[in-house]
Amino acid sequence: MSATKEALIRHVAPAYRWREDFPILKQQVYGKPLVYLDNAATSQKPASVIETERRYYEECNANVHRGVHALSQKATDAYEGARQKVARFLNARSAREIVFVRGCTEGVNLVAQSYGRTVLKPGDEVLITAMEHHSNIVPWQMVCQQTGAVLRVAPINDAGEMVFEEFERLVSERTRIVAAVHVSNALGTINPVERIVERAHAVGAKVLLDGAQAVPHVPVDVQALDCDFYAFSGHKIYGPTGIGALYGKEALLAAMPPYQGGGDMIKVVTFDKTLYNDLPYKFEAGTPHIAGAVGLGAALDYVMGIGMEAIAAHEHALLQYATEAVAGIKGLRLVGTARHKAGILSFVMDGVHPHDIGTILDHQGVAIRAGHHCAMPVMDRYGVAATARASFALYNTREDVDALVAGLHKVREVFG
């Protein structure tokens, strides 16, 4: 056995244990075992997360912060305990730097409207990359329209890598905000975020990183990155839907006005004026998704118990295996071949629409995503309307890849 194959087996083997923690993976689809490869859209949930949410509703469901009764205090402890877990997971300096949001999208919008709308002036520039998800494009278009700022876009090459020389050229004294995806959802590219932050800070610009696709796959240390803002969604990292977190440096968050008004983001309200609450509560108007936050805390417990380095090594080995396995399929072309990638394979097949690929694979029990992946400018860059996308998680195995490949050969048989 070759050293390469031994390494693949060593890194993939733990997945057979991890997948036992995910009840949904035990089911069948069209009489075949479920092979779930749509993890970039949303991941499945381990039993510990499901049980934690169930136990929250059974044992301590109440509103947080304002109650003096025992259930409210228990709920508050659980909610704030989850915030502490997010802070540890990202290595934030303080839990005051963690704002609970509905997901990465709301986190980006919060920064765009609360920070961007405050500091941007006509002629200022916001710089993004050509591989961004719509959630990291549209909010900046909106705030540029509101302020007169200009949106600039750093290009990507044929491999799906940001052209860093062009990025450097676009950064100037007019650049106020750089917003970049850490890992591309459409291509799998891992961006050189440390270099992005360093270059932006050299001209005094602030940096927001979209971490939705990064946090399930690679270790994230916001202090080491020195980014100003970092947003992610819970449902990508084995947690509930409708919950996520925004990290922001405390001094920046303290200076920013609230994003929304309502209960719990205030200290005092009169008809003349309102005194806003302390960090991070001034950004959390209304009753939050308490159970979601508690479930997210359980999900982070789960991945930290395994270790992000172990997860990254497993998924890297699986991506290598899958990349080699699909290379022999007639008429298949990968879209996104960056040197540094997370566990995403986007591809097209000659003469077959991605939706047809997805439909045939579904009847083989294999769940993938087909479409533009909320990254229409990426599709335009490659001259395609859509791609098929297989995306991996810690519970995927080589057998899952083999089932994908067998299904793709079936697609080729059907379409000739």
Side-chain angles (χ1 to χ4, degrees):
M1 183 182 296
S2 69
T4 301
K5 192 168 184 180
E6 287 180 348
L8 285 172
I9 292 172
R10 184 171 64 254
H11 287 309
V12 172
Y16 296 97
R17 299 194 304 271
W18 301 334
R19 70 183 291 113
E20 292 300 313
D21 297 329
F22 293 81
I24 201 169
L25 299 180
K26 296 177 171 62
Q27 69 177 280
Q28 292 194 335
V29 175
Y30 297 111
K32 297 180 174 61
L34 171 64
V35 175
Y36 187 78
L37 298 176
D38 193 20
N39 297 286
T42 196
S43 63
Q44 300 303 337
K45 319 307 172 192
S48 59
V49 170
I50 298 168
E51 172 62 18
T52 295
E53 278 210 81
R54 184 192 64 80
R55 194 166 59 248
Y56 167 80
Y57 281 121
E58 286 186 348
E59 298 177 4
C60 58
N61 179 50
N63 216 323
V64 293
H65 298 145
R66 297 181 290 276
V68 296
H69 58 82
L71 283 185
S72 179
Q73 292 175 19
K74 286 175 66 176
T76 299
D77 288 345
Y79 182 70
E80 292 303 328
R83 194 189 310 275
Q84 293 281 353
K85 291 176 183 179
V86 175
R88 285 196 299 273
F89 178 73
L90 295 177
N91 193 32
R93 290 178 179 84
S94 165
R96 288 165 56 86
E97 298 181 316
I98 303 300
V99 179
F100 281 124
V101 288
R102 288 178 298 158
C104 188
T105 297
E106 187 178 32
V108 176
N109 276 273
L110 192 162
V111 175
Q113 289 299 313
S114 181
Y115 180 76
R117 197 169 181 180
T118 303
V119 304
L120 291 171
K121 304 182 299 297
D124 288 344
E125 294 181 358
V126 176
L127 178 57
I128 63 174
T129 80
M131 68 179 77
E132 300 304 322
H133 188 283
H134 296 165
S135 294
N136 205 30
I137 300 173
V138 179
W140 302 111
Q141 289 176 332
M142 293 170 67
V143 80
C144 284
Q145 290 169 357
Q146 293 161 349
T147 63
V150 178
L151 187 67
R152 301 292 187 195
V153 183
I156 59 177
N157 61 22
D158 290 344
E161 300 163 327
M162 186 180 71
V163 183
F164 196 77
E165 295 77 11
E166 287 298 306
F167 171 81
E168 287 186 303
R169 185 184 64 79
L170 287 166
V171 174
S172 73
E173 68 279 357
R174 294 183 299 277
T175 308
R176 295 289 177 266
I177 299 170
V178 173
V181 67
H182 191 165
V183 174
S184 165
N185 75 304
L187 303 169
T189 305
I190 302 175
N191 267 323
V193 287
E194 296 90 346
R195 296 175 67 194
I196 289 172
V197 172
E198 182 179 15
R199 181 70 182 95
H201 283 177
V203 298
K206 304 305 181 186
V207 181
L208 175 141
L209 297 178
D210 171 352
Q213 296 295 335
V215 292
H217 305 297
V218 297
V220 176
D221 183 332
V222 292
Q223 291 192 64
L225 291 174
D226 196 30
C227 58
D228 301 288
F229 303 99
Y230 197 100
F232 74 93
S233 298
H235 72 101
K236 310 282 191 187
I237 188 168
Y238 315 107
T241 56
I243 189 69
L246 170 70
Y247 158 83
K249 288 181 177 177
E250 186 168 344
L252 291 173
L253 291 177
M256 290 161 50
Y259 173 54
Q260 296 175 323
D264 217 33
M265 51 74 67
I266 55 89
K267 283 186 175 179
V268 178
V269 175
T270 70
F271 288 119
D272 294 323
K273 65 178 181 178
T274 295
L275 180 63
Y276 301 130
N277 208 340
D278 298 327
L279 287 179
Y281 309 113
K282 73 173 180 178
F283 295 111
E284 295 179 2
T287 298
H289 186 8
I290 306 165
V294 174
L296 174 58
L300 297 183
D301 283 341
Y302 181 80
V303 297
M304 287 190 287
I306 294 173
M308 290 307 303
E309 291 81 2
I311 293 170
H314 160 66
E315 292 180 353
H316 177 70
L318 196 64
L319 179 63
Q320 281 186 304
Y321 181 79
T323 302
E324 294 172 4
V326 301
I329 298 173
K330 180 182 176 183
L332 185 145
R333 175 171 63 90
L334 292 178
V335 178
T337 55
R339 288 163 292 177
H340 301 290
K341 284 185 63 176
I344 287 172
L345 278 183
S346 286
F347 56 91
V348 292
M349 294 180 72
D350 291 345
V352 189
H353 194 281
H355 288 164
D356 292 326
I357 297 173
T359 299
I360 293 173
L361 287 176
D362 181 43
H363 282 78
Q364 304 302 308
V366 181
I368 66 161
R369 177 78 28 170
H372 54 64
H373 317 298
C374 293
M376 294 177 75
V378 174
M379 302 298 111
D380 292 342
R381 168 63 176 79
Y382 290 96
V384 297
T387 68
R389 183 187 69 190
S391 49
F392 305 111
L394 62 87
Y395 41 66
N396 289 125
T397 65
R398 288 181 298 160
E399 282 76 10
D400 291 341
V401 174
D402 294 341
L404 169 67
V405 172
L408 291 173
H409 281 298
K410 179 73 172 178
V411 172
R412 193 74 279 169
E413 289 174 15
V414 171
F415 283 89

